[in-house]
Amino acid sequence: MAKTVIIEEPGGPDAYKIVDREVGAPGPGEIRIRHHACGLNFIDVYQRTGLYPLQFPHAMGMEGAGVVEAVGEGVTHLKVGDRAAYASAPPGAYCEARVMKAAQVCPLPDAISFEEGAAMMLKGMTVVYLFHRTTPLAKGDTVLFHAAAGGVGLIACQWAKSMGIRLIGTAGSPEKCQLALDHGADACINYRDADWVAQVRDLTGGKGVDVVMDAVGKDTFEGSLDCLRPLGMMISFGNASGPVPPFNLATLGAKGSLKITRPTLFTHIAEHDTCQAMARQLFDKVASGEVKITIEQRYPLADVAEAHRALEGRKTTGQTVLIP
């Protein structure tokens, strides 16, 4: 049996329930993993509220790290006793232990702690696809990154610095702006009390940025388009403020033949080999010291509702983990 966080219908943080579930043995292509830490992500909020529909009741959580307890037939990249970490669908990571498909579970190097592994897989591999798989980026390019002091943002700030990419961040307070600067952002704008579009234009000499990376969604979408140079790329990869409303596609032409994409991590990691390669790229960055995983908040698994209130209230910085 394993304590597992579930929801029975969409709702607020109080919708979470903790139940005892039988774990069982892994079938072909599966493993059983016992978690040492579980990651907290905004996609968990989207699923809990029903923005990303699930069939209820459903276990929750997309990211975890722990030790492999059992291996099903056909699994060759993991064995019993291995340290492992993952970001993977379907949800079910908020638990003490689970059986799950093995393809997206990755061997975790000894140099990386379980907490770091649980905190970085979804966010870190998101940064991998943003900087290496979505649009060509090279030294000297300029990126606008919203929510630069969040979990993905602090990794992105360091990643950009390691590549020689100029990253202009936005954040919601002077303290959060300073945190982004401390992690490698070239500049950071407090979008709560500033005309951030004008400031981005000033910082780029009126030219605009090459790429916008925006997980905020509704509140920043229009302004983000106005920050792009002609032929620039808008990467909308989240909805923290709500989904982007419908817009006229001709707007992209009028604003300079802009490009736009709405990627998801789970498309990028759907193939086993690609997922493992992206994880190794992330592990190498962390092991080299170029990217440090900053865990600012830790909650017992039983306090998952409190953790979600902090996340939605913009009270968190860096990464947050749940401890079973």
Side-chain angles (χ1 to χ4, degrees):
M1 304 296 288
K3 294 192 181 302
T4 303
V5 177
I6 68 166
I7 59 172
E8 295 179 336
E9 59 183 14
D14 291 332
Y16 285 125
K17 296 183 178 181
I18 298 179
V19 300
D20 287 318
R21 279 191 165 183
E22 187 173 347
V23 180
E30 295 180 334
I31 62 150
R32 185 172 72 235
I33 184 169
R34 183 157 297 274
H35 291 137
H36 286 233
C38 314
L40 184 75
N41 297 282
F42 243 101
I43 191 173
D44 307 341
V45 176
Y46 305 154
Q47 292 168 342
R48 191 200 74 225
T49 60
L51 179 62
Y52 293 177
L54 297 173
Q55 289 188 336
F56 298 111
H58 208 296
M60 301 301 292
M62 306 294 288
E63 183 179 41
V67 175
V68 177
E69 286 190 333
V71 174
E73 181 183 353
V75 177
T76 58
H77 70 292
L78 294 166
K79 64 182 185 301
V80 173
D82 278 354
R83 306 169 78 253
Y86 66 88
S88 180
Y94 289 178
C95 65
E96 293 175 328
R98 69 185 294 200
V99 167
M100 62 183 298
K101 291 182 180 179
Q104 279 69 44
V105 182
C106 306
L108 182 66
D110 290 340
I112 298 173
S113 72
F114 289 117
E115 288 191 4
E116 289 171 326
M120 75 187 213
M121 294 300 288
L122 191 147
K123 304 171 194 71
M125 290 197 293
T126 294
V127 172
V128 172
Y129 85 67
L130 288 173
F131 280 84
H132 296 282
R133 295 176 56 84
T134 304
T135 191
L137 281 169
K139 182 178 181 180
D141 286 343
T142 300
V143 167
L144 173 62
F145 200 101
H146 289 297
V152 179
L154 293 184
I155 296 174
C157 289
Q158 298 172 81
W159 207 287
K161 185 176 182 180
S162 76
M163 292 179 64
I165 290 170
R166 184 187 185 198
L167 186 144
I168 300 170
T170 69
S173 70
E175 294 77 15
K176 287 188 174 184
C177 285
Q178 187 59 53
L179 189 61
L181 294 170
D182 292 343
H183 282 74
D186 183 80
C188 194
I189 301 164
N190 184 349
Y191 60 77
R192 294 189 186 276
D193 60 8
D195 184 348
W196 56 270
V197 175
Q199 288 202 39
V200 171
R201 284 285 173 181
D202 288 344
L203 287 167
T204 58
K207 295 179 180 179
V209 300
D210 299 291
V211 178
V212 175
M213 300 178 180
D214 186 354
V216 175
K218 176 173 64 70
D219 290 352
T220 51
F221 181 76
E222 290 290 342
S224 292
L225 295 180
D226 291 333
C227 291
L228 282 165
R229 65 163 175 80
L231 304 178
M233 168 66 85
M234 171 71 173
I235 307 174
S236 177
F237 69 102
N239 319 279
S241 66
V244 174
F247 74 102
N248 187 342
L249 198 61
T251 301
L252 301 179
K255 291 182 180 291
S257 300
L258 305 180
K259 294 165 283 188
I260 187 167
T261 184
R262 182 35 174 114
T264 71
L265 172 64
F266 299 103
T267 304
H268 283 277
I269 65 172
E271 297 295 329
H272 168 77
D273 290 345
T274 300
C275 177
Q276 299 295 321
M278 290 172 65
R280 287 192 295 270
Q281 191 172 5
L282 172 61
F283 295 152
D284 288 346
K285 278 284 187 186
V286 174
S288 73
E290 291 182 316
V291 170
K292 292 180 172 60
I293 304 303
T294 307
I295 300 171
E296 297 287 356
Q297 298 84 209
R298 295 171 175 83
Y299 293 87
L301 184 64
D303 292 341
V304 60
E306 182 182 345
H308 269 247
R309 291 188 192 98
L311 180 65
E312 291 179 272
R314 305 294 197 275
K315 295 178 182 178
T316 63
T317 56
Q319 280 72 244
T320 302
V321 293
L322 304 170
I323 308 300

